[in-house]
Amino acid sequence: MKTYDVFNGDADGICALIQLRLAEPCESALITGVKRDIALAKQVPLDSPAKVNILDISLDKNRAAVDSLLAAGSSVFYVDHHFPGETLPDAPGFNALIDTQPTTCTSLLVDQHLGGRFHNWAITAAFGDNLNTVAEALAQKASLSTEQAGLLKNLGVCINYNGYGSTVEDLHFHPADLFREFVKFADPLDLIASEPVAWQQLRDGYEADMADGLAAPVLSETDTSLVVKLPNAAWARRVSGVLGNELANRNPDKACAIVTETGSDTYLVSIRAPLNNRTGADEVARQFPTGGGRKAAAGINELPVCQLNEFVGVMAEFWR
């Protein structure tokens, strides 16, 4: 029976799969893409039963494809922290670890599932998913030094940064290729110490793009929200998500959003709930077409230009 690994192209998805494959090595077909490409389950063929692992993408957005896989006789192991829909599939081949609390992520769920066998990868993912308080507590409990925790944080942020873009051509590395490079290391600290070329390129790209992002103009700022606008450029699409995290860290009482021009009549939007009130980002996003995500972080794939002012108003009022 063929194995398919379906995973989000961000730090959480990649680090979750790294843990699973370190625990259970196998040759699998990888299905992934940019972070916002979440309708991935439909890419698994239905011609014969398969073993399918789905990590860090919303079941709600993939329910029809999952139901088709189960009907075709496939087994599905689903691990995620996004809104799954009102009900879960009732089929013997379906097993799930789903927790939507804003203080967890897919890699932490996998970490629990594996009994902490590759714990540093889970900590890396938590940092990448901007769960800094959670990650710092886990690092301290694991007796990591402040320097080691900082190294894992930088790695997690950079892996997460690589997942943002409209297409894989925007990225420094296809997420599947980044997984293949990084799964070679059972401990991410060993990866960092060995300085592989992929890590050097990713780190340098992040530093350059973040410098440009922090210099971007502010579209709107109130006592409850901050909205920054980025141009239609590959660097801007790459940095949008991690820039949102950084702005949220610098403004913990404000909801932050990055609005990126797409070159058409829509914007790409990345939303972060206030760090001191990590809820509501998904509710704001779902008020607009193509919006979705989780409580602490969400996005809108195609916000019509004519709705920009409405969006800015919602951002300002929702957390007031």
Side-chain angles (χ1 to χ4, degrees):
M1 185 178 290
K2 189 169 184 178
T3 298
Y4 291 88
D5 289 328
V6 183
F7 61 104
N8 196 299
D10 68 353
D12 196 18
I14 291 174
C15 293
L17 184 57
I18 286 174
Q19 293 175 81
L20 280 183
R21 286 294 147 252
L22 287 171
E24 301 176 6
C26 79
E27 290 293 328
S28 65
L30 304 181
I31 297 178
T32 187
V34 298
K35 179 179 174 65
R36 290 177 182 273
D37 187 1
I38 60 172
L40 296 172
K42 64 184 179 182
Q43 295 184 33
V44 180
L46 296 172
D47 53 355
S48 61
K51 182 179 179 181
V52 185
N53 303 293
I54 304 179
L55 308 171
D56 200 39
I57 57 175
S58 167
L59 175 59
D60 185 50
K61 301 294 186 182
N62 289 271
R63 181 58 184 269
V66 169
D67 286 342
S68 296
L69 287 168
L70 294 169
S74 293
S75 64
V76 176
F77 179 49
Y78 214 111
V79 191
D80 188 42
H81 64 135
H82 300 92
F83 175 68
E86 298 301 326
T87 61
L88 301 181
D90 182 13
F94 183 79
N95 291 290
L97 298 173
I98 295 177
D99 187 342
T100 62
Q101 294 184 77
T103 53
T104 194
C105 63
T106 302
S107 285
L108 291 177
L109 297 177
V110 171
D111 182 52
Q112 294 167 16
H113 175 66
L114 296 176
R117 290 176 61 186
F118 307 100
H119 193 49
N120 284 352
W121 277 115
I123 294 173
T124 299
F127 276 124
D129 224 28
N130 207 38
L131 298 176
N132 290 332
T133 300
V134 173
E136 287 164 1
L138 290 173
Q140 185 175 22
K141 188 175 181 180
S143 299
L144 296 177
S145 68
T146 301
E147 180 185 2
Q148 288 173 320
L151 291 172
L152 294 185
K153 180 178 182 179
N154 192 35
L155 176 62
V157 169
C158 287
I159 297 174
N160 208 50
Y161 149 80
N162 184 72
Y164 284 90
S166 295
T167 65
V168 293
E169 286 73 26
D170 284 339
L171 312 182
H172 293 291
F173 299 93
H174 192 291
D177 293 334
L178 203 60
F179 161 78
R180 293 187 185 100
E181 288 296 318
F182 288 1
V183 76
K184 299 173 183 177
F185 299 89
D187 188 333
L189 290 173
D190 292 337
L191 183 157
I192 295 167
S194 66
E195 290 268 322
V197 173
W199 167 230
Q200 295 177 44
Q201 292 178 353
L202 189 58
R203 182 187 58 212
D204 292 347
Y206 165 78
E207 292 173 354
D209 287 351
M210 183 60 82
D212 289 336
L214 290 172
V218 173
L219 185 64
S220 171
E221 184 170 14
T222 70
D223 57 342
T224 59
S225 67
L226 173 64
V227 181
V228 171
K229 188 176 182 181
L230 296 180
N232 176 27
W235 73 263
R237 293 187 290 273
R238 285 194 301 265
V239 84
S240 62
V242 291
L243 178 62
N245 289 342
E246 179 62 23
L247 293 176
N249 292 332
R250 295 186 181 193
N251 302 273
D253 293 318
K254 295 184 180 184
C256 297
I258 307 297
V259 176
T260 306
E261 297 176 344
T262 64
S264 62
D265 57 354
T266 62
Y267 294 106
L268 181 67
V269 182
S270 181
I271 305 168
R272 298 292 179 270
L275 284 187
N276 291 336
N277 181 19
R278 296 174 65 91
T279 188
D282 55 341
E283 295 179 55
V284 168
R286 287 202 294 266
Q287 292 185 41
F288 299 89
T290 70
R294 52 191 173 86
K295 296 177 182 179
I300 305 170
N301 287 339
E302 297 178 355
L303 177 72
V305 169
C306 62
Q307 290 188 291
L308 178 60
N309 290 338
E310 179 185 354
F311 169 74
V312 170
V314 171
M315 283 289 295
E317 294 298 325
F318 186 87
W319 287 274
R320 188 175 297 280

